[in-house]
């Protein structure tokens, strides 16, 4: 039998790496909480229509990347490729419109069958926020600011650039669509097959193509920013003015688009050059038509999602949280039960305790060194008879006798 391996595009996050991922998630939850966003947990699979209807039948996610299966009841189900559609479904299913505005934070695994590469897996993890029920540009400013605060808290704000664009309102996009289609039709022979398909169904997505031939055509395409009506220009001006007031730097990017009809006005991405071609680490936009498209009441919305793996990679090894335990070392079998009880007491007091299961005193001390323990608590029969233990500082090598009833205080001084 061949050696078992993880499925291509999946990854085992061992304790050191998962600690960094948890740091990203915990930081995101804490920052979102300061903005009044409560955590929502939606299922990792939904009826396929939740995604097929919202992400667009011609999108790469729907046509190439979704993990879809038929369950025993004959229903078509899909592992979630992103978080927003499921949250919009939850907004409708739970009748949350009457409680708007709704401010939620989410985290968890997503699934896309795409080519695995640096920072991009087939099972990956995201954190994100959604603000539903606010049409004022203040909502856009708040959501972008929340993302910036997260990147600041992770020490990454200086390594990313905020790209910002306006997709305008429906009137602006309808007028621009005609102009864009006319231009692209005049260059059909230079477009990729994917873009020719998008040209018929979703022409704005051609602007986001990664194909080099398409990008050469798009470089000279008319800009949406040049065809915004006054209402759309005013909306963008309010957003940029708010970001400027909050000292959040940004770059206007006319090629930043969201191709689906329910997106409008603000689109944004925080981009880095430190991860190669996959440089977007946090991205979002306004989607005022999504809830209505899914059968709910007309509800404005804006949000973003960030890849946990990409943020962790950008933070690097030095950011991994270091948890240094205290090693509890019985000198022999005769003190193991006492050490067991002492370990339970100290863990209940909040200390990280590693209790060696077996071995000589020397082997247990080697384990303490390997774990990079802060100190060793040595439990010997002579010490116990005196109501104390030996406490060895593994940084200095100093050892002292500590009364059992004073042990918590002694450990607290070493944390």
């Amino acid at each position: 039998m061949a050696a078992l391996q993880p499925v291509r595009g999946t990854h085992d996050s061992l304790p050191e790496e998962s600690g960094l991922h948890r740091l990203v998630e915990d930081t995101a939850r804490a920052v979102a909480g300061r903005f009044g966003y409560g955590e929502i947990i939606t299922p990792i699979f939904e009826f396929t229509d939740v995604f097929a209807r919202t992400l667009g039948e011609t999108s790469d996610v729907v046509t190439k990347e979704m993990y879809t299966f038929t369950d025993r009841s004959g229903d078509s189900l899909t592992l979630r490729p992103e978080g927003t559609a499921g949250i919009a479904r939850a907004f409708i299913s739970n009748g949350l419109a009457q409680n708007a505005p709704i401010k939620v934070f989410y985290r968890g695994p997503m699934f896309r069958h795409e080519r695995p590469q640096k920072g991009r897996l087939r099972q990956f993890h995201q954190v994100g926020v959604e603000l539903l029920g606010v049409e004022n540009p203040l909502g856009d400013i708040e959501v972008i600011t929340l993302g910036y605060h997260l990147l600041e808290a992770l020490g990454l704000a200086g390594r990313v650039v905020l790209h910002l664009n306006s997709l305008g309102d429906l009137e602006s996009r309808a007028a621009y669509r005609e102009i864009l289609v006319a231009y692209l039709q005049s260059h059909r022979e230079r477009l990729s097959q994917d873009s020719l398909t998008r040209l018929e169904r979703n022409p704005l997505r051609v602007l986001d193509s990664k194909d080099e031939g398409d990008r050469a055509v798009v470089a000279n395409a008319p800009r949406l920013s040049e065809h915004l009506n006054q209402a759309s220009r005013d909306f963008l001006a309010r957003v940029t003015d708010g970001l400027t007031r909050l000292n959040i730097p940004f770059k206007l990017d006319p090629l930043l688009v969201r191709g689906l009809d329910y997106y409008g006005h603000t689109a944004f991405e925080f981009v880095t050059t430190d991860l190669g071609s996959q440089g977007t680490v946090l991205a979002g936009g306004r989607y005022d038509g999504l809830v209505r498209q899914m059968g709910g009441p007309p509800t404005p919305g804006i949000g973003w999602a960030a890849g946990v793996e990409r943020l962790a990679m950008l933070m690097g090894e030095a950011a991994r949280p270091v948890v240094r335990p205290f090693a509890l070392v019985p000198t022999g079998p005769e003190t193991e039960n006492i050490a067991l009880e002492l370990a339970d007491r100290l863990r209940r007091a909040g200390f990280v305790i590693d209790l060696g299961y077996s071995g000589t005193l020397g082997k247990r001390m080697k384990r303490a060194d390997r774990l990079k323990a802060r100190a060793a608590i040595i439990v010997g029969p002579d010490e116990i008879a005196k109501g104390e233990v030996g406490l060895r500082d593994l940084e200095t090598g100093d050892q002292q006798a500590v009364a059992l009833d004073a042990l918590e205080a002694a450990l607290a001084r070493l944390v």
Side-chain angles (χ1 to χ4, degrees):
M1 180 177 180
L4 292 176
Q5 297 292 328
V7 175
R8 175 174 162 77
T10 64
H11 174 67
D12 297 313
S13 293
L14 301 180
E16 287 188 4
E17 182 179 23
S18 65
L20 183 52
H21 291 180
R22 186 170 60 252
L23 174 62
V24 172
E25 292 184 356
D26 289 348
T27 303
R29 183 189 294 105
V31 172
R34 293 202 293 269
F35 282 72
Y37 287 67
E39 185 168 0
I40 186 172
I41 301 174
T42 61
I44 64 170
F45 57 88
E46 302 266 3
F47 289 114
T48 299
D49 278 354
V50 169
F51 304 112
R53 290 169 55 188
T54 59
L55 297 178
E57 294 179 358
T58 63
S59 71
D60 286 348
V61 174
V62 172
T63 59
K64 301 176 183 178
E65 297 174 0
M66 291 203 315
Y67 281 95
T68 298
F69 60 96
T70 302
D71 72 359
R72 294 181 179 181
S73 300
D75 294 319
S76 179
L77 306 178
T78 295
L79 298 178
R80 63 185 181 197
E82 54 88 45
T84 303
I87 290 172
R89 192 273 309 150
F91 179 87
I92 298 168
S93 300
N94 293 281
L96 299 180
Q98 60 187 352
N99 300 323
I102 300 297
K103 305 165 73 170
V104 294
F105 160 82
Y106 67 89
R107 61 182 175 82
M110 310 291 167
F111 305 86
R112 294 188 186 183
H113 191 280
E114 55 186 352
R115 183 169 65 87
Q117 52 191 293
K118 184 178 181 180
R120 175 169 287 184
L121 298 168
R122 290 177 176 176
Q123 177 180 325
F124 57 100
H125 298 78
Q126 287 186 337
V127 292
V129 299
E130 308 293 349
L131 173 60
L132 293 158
V134 176
E135 60 183 355
N136 192 300
L138 284 173
D140 305 54
I141 298 167
E142 177 179 277
V143 166
I144 295 172
T145 302
L146 199 167
Y148 186 74
H149 281 204
L150 169 60
L151 295 169
E152 274 190 323
L154 296 175
L156 302 177
R159 298 174 61 191
V160 298
V161 176
L162 171 59
H163 289 231
L164 182 71
N165 194 23
S166 172
L167 306 179
D169 57 16
L170 284 172
E171 178 185 88
S172 296
R173 289 198 304 281
Y176 175 65
R177 180 186 175 113
E178 292 185 11
I179 295 168
L180 177 63
V181 168
Y183 172 81
L184 294 175
Q185 288 285 13
S186 68
H187 296 277
R188 287 181 61 92
E189 71 283 354
R190 298 172 58 191
L191 295 176
S192 68
Q193 187 57 53
D194 279 348
S195 285
L196 288 174
T197 300
R198 292 167 180 162
L199 180 57
E200 303 300 325
R201 306 283 295 274
N202 205 345
L204 262 66
R205 293 208 61 240
V206 177
L207 299 178
D208 198 32
S209 173
K210 301 301 186 289
D211 180 88
E212 290 301 323
D214 294 340
R215 293 173 73 87
V217 173
V218 166
N220 296 313
R223 297 290 185 248
L224 175 56
S225 58
E226 299 168 355
H227 297 85
L228 296 176
N229 59 20
Q230 192 58 49
S232 298
R233 293 178 187 273
D234 291 344
F235 195 102
L236 175 61
R238 182 68 183 90
V239 173
T240 56
D241 178 67
L243 296 176
T244 300
R245 288 176 180 273
L246 298 177
N247 296 314
I248 298 176
F250 61 88
K251 171 185 176 182
L252 291 176
D253 183 351
L255 296 182
L256 177 58
V257 298
R258 299 287 185 266
L260 305 179
D261 289 341
Y262 58 74
Y263 279 108
H265 291 301
T266 309
F268 61 93
E269 294 182 353
F270 286 91
V271 181
T272 181
T273 59
D274 294 344
L275 293 177
S277 61
Q278 301 299 325
T280 301
V281 296
L282 187 155
R286 176 166 282 277
Y287 49 86
D288 289 352
L290 175 60
V291 174
R292 184 175 186 178
Q293 180 176 314
M294 296 180 70
T299 305
I302 183 169
W304 55 253
V308 172
E309 285 84 358
R310 292 191 194 181
L311 288 173
M313 288 176 61
L314 197 56
M315 292 168 69
E317 298 286 331
R320 288 187 178 179
V322 178
V323 178
R324 299 185 67 186
F326 291 100
L328 193 54
V329 183
T331 59
E334 66 275 16
T335 57
E336 285 182 351
N337 286 336
I338 295 173
L340 181 66
E341 295 171 2
L342 186 56
D344 186 65
R345 174 182 131 189
L346 295 174
R347 287 165 178 160
R348 289 180 183 276
F351 296 101
V352 179
I353 302 296
D354 180 80
L355 176 60
Y357 303 109
S358 62
T360 65
L361 176 62
K363 287 185 177 179
R364 296 187 199 221
M365 291 301 296
K366 286 182 179 178
R367 173 178 171 82
D369 288 336
R370 189 167 65 251
L371 293 173
K372 296 181 174 60
R374 178 64 183 87
I377 305 164
I378 300 171
V379 185
D382 294 339
E383 290 83 358
I384 293 299
K386 299 176 185 177
E388 59 189 31
V389 293
L391 182 60
R392 183 180 300 177
D393 187 323
L394 295 180
E395 290 184 356
T396 66
D398 295 336
Q399 182 168 326
Q400 60 178 316
V402 177
L404 281 170
D405 59 4
L407 183 55
E408 284 87 345
L411 296 184
R413 289 192 290 271
L414 295 176
V415 173

